[in-house]
Amino acid sequence: MDNALPDVRAGIKTFFVVPDLSIFPEECLKSFCLHGYEAYFIHDDPYCPLISKIHLLISAFSETILFFNIDRKVPGIEWSSFIRKVQRTYGARVRIGVMFQKLNSAEETRKLERLYLYDIGITCGCIPLEYQRNKNLPLFLNVLAANKANGQRKFLRAVCSDAFRISLGYKGRPYRSTIRDISLSHFSCVFPDEPPEIQLMEKIYDVQMNLRGTLCTVDAVLCLKRDIEQQPIHVFVFRNSQDRDGLDYEQQERVNTVVFNYFSNGVNEFLHKLFDAERLRVSLARGQASSSGGEEQTLESLNIDVNKLLESVT
């Protein structure tokens, strides 16, 4: 997991742009991960313009969904014009939705829907947020499901470092193994010494997992053995206390935290470096513009060498 950065650009990414944290808190992102969705918040700042961040997101990730909070006032941005330009500039490279606090007037809501859904042509919905924050999580889970924001992935899978280990007993002997990757449905591992002769579909009880300090005891069924680079890999499927696929609640929460941190830390580190590089570029450009009377930056005038920026942060 220490080497997460090279993989962070893969898969569908959903970004909530300048969200209202009072009714759409950051805890929602962890719940989205539980259901197989990668989602992140993008905030505004005066040193890396939002216009540049949107361009970098769409350029850096192959599959991007953006939900704009159109209630948020951002200097220099009129949302309908801005979103129309984003839609026209990037076309099928991005899918767009908007969110706003629920309106009391049905007519005002219909006007917004006509503007964004029909006039501008966004495809991911016009989402009225509830004032009660606990209602917005299930609301957006339905929105993400409708937009197939997890792609082909039912569960997110974290790649692990050597700090992720398991201990199990088999036929009276203890065995230790290093976990290669883990999700809410399964994990794969490598036994450094002679592996146990576990049969396919055999259930192992009380597997003790140390997920870089997070401890879990689980049951699992061996579902696959394969060799990768002449190394035998064992793949186990989790089984809960009802002997069904999956984990019990407590273990599920712990494993989900591990998976969420893997993606969150990797993507946010990548974005932090990417936006820092752009902040430096903007600062230099503003210095040159002020000395030469340059014009304000627009979508059409963006001149970001994205490949060069990406090379500088990966």
Side-chain angles (χ1 to χ4, degrees), residues 9 49 76 87 124 161 172 213 254 272:
R9 295 172 64 189
Q87 183 77 41
C124 289
S161 70
R254 292 180 182 181
H272 180 75

Side-chain angles (χ1 to χ4, degrees), residues 70-213:
I70 59 175
D71 287 333
R72 172 72 179 274
K73 295 186 184 303
V74 178
I77 289 182
E78 194 284 315
W79 283 116
S80 60
S81 298
F82 181 81
I83 292 170
R84 190 188 301 273
K85 288 179 181 178
V86 172
Q87 183 77 41
R88 287 177 176 173
T89 301
Y90 301 104
R93 293 171 58 190
V94 62
R95 290 187 282 157
I96 298 173
V98 298
M99 52 188 178
F100 54 92
Q101 283 195 2
K102 190 174 183 180
L103 301 173
N104 293 325
S105 167
E107 179 57 32
E108 288 299 315
T109 301
R110 285 193 290 269
K111 282 175 62 178
L112 274 180
E113 290 172 345
R114 282 196 297 269
L115 172 61
Y116 286 100
L117 297 176
Y118 300 104
D119 295 348
I120 297 176
I122 65 171
T123 59
C124 289
C126 205
I127 315 301
L129 295 176
E130 298 285 348
Y131 289 94
Q132 295 174 286
R133 58 194 296 179
N134 62 319
K135 293 184 178 181
N136 290 319
L137 174 59
L139 170 65
F140 256 105
L141 282 173
N142 290 333
V143 170
L144 293 174
N147 285 290
K148 299 181 179 179
N150 57 346
Q152 300 299 315
R153 302 179 297 186
K154 186 175 181 181
F155 298 106
L156 297 176
R157 179 177 61 90
V159 179
C160 301
S161 70
D162 292 342
F164 292 73
R165 300 172 182 174
I166 65 168
S167 301
L168 61 86
Y170 186 70
K171 293 187 176 179
R173 287 186 56 188
Y175 292 89
R176 296 184 182 277
S177 176
T178 300
I179 301 174
R180 295 179 73 253
D181 56 66
I182 188 169
S183 74
L184 292 174
S185 63
H186 72 277
F187 66 92
S188 68
C189 61
V190 176
F191 291 91
D193 303 315
E194 182 180 354
E197 293 297 324
I198 304 172
Q199 301 301 306
L200 287 178
M201 306 313 297
E202 186 175 358
K203 185 175 181 179
I204 307 299
Y205 294 88
D206 298 328
V207 179
Q208 297 185 28
M209 312 184 81
N210 186 333
L211 307 176
R212 204 178 190 179

Side-chain angles (χ1 to χ4, degrees), residues 13-17 40 42 57 61 64-67 267 271:
K13 305 286 190 291
T14 299
F15 296 99
F16 295 95
V17 182
Y40 308 92
I42 300 296
L57 291 174
F61 301 104
T64 307
I65 299 174
L66 302 175
F67 283 97
V267 170
L271 291 178

Side-chain angles (χ1 to χ4, degrees), residues 17-19 42-51 53 72-75 77 279:
V17 182
V18 293
I42 300 296
H43 301 287
D44 185 37
D45 73 74
Y47 305 105
C48 183
L50 198 58
I51 191 173
K53 289 184 177 181
R72 172 72 179 274
K73 295 186 184 303
V74 178
I77 289 182
R279 288 184 186 101

